[in-house]
Amino acid sequence: MRYIDARALKKAMIDKDIKTVAELEEKSGVNRNTLAGILKGEGTPSYETITGLADALALDGETTGRIFFALELA
């Protein structure tokens, strides 16, 4: 099963000195309600959401994949 690595996403925010959901919303163009769910590790973000966040956080492809397509080990 795949899941969002919300912890890694929050670390990426810290690394880019993005302190609030509102700031991330402004930089990424992703709605704050969507962001709130993603930061809780919920839902399945669309391609547009993933690319918006990856661009805003300057994530490379490998990091983006690790965050949004992480494997949950049972």
Side-chain angles (χ1 to χ4, degrees):
M1 184 172 175
R2 297 191 183 277
Y3 73 103
I4 298 168
D5 187 347
R7 203 162 123 192
L9 184 58
K10 290 173 187 174
K11 182 182 179 320
M13 288 176 64
I14 291 167
D15 291 345
K16 289 295 174 190
D17 200 33
I18 296 174
K19 295 177 176 67
T20 65
V21 171
E23 191 177 349
L24 184 57
E25 176 184 36
E26 182 180 317
K27 291 182 183 288
S28 68
V30 177
N31 176 282
R32 72 179 62 214
N33 293 327
T34 301
L35 289 172
I38 290 170
L39 290 168
K40 291 178 188 175
E42 300 172 351
T44 305
S46 68
Y47 172 79
E48 291 80 12
T49 297
I50 292 170
T51 55
L53 291 171
D55 289 345
L57 297 169
L59 301 175
D60 61 30
E62 182 179 340
T63 303
T64 301
R66 190 170 25 84
I67 290 173
F68 293 102
F69 303 100
L71 292 176
E72 184 175 23
L73 300 177

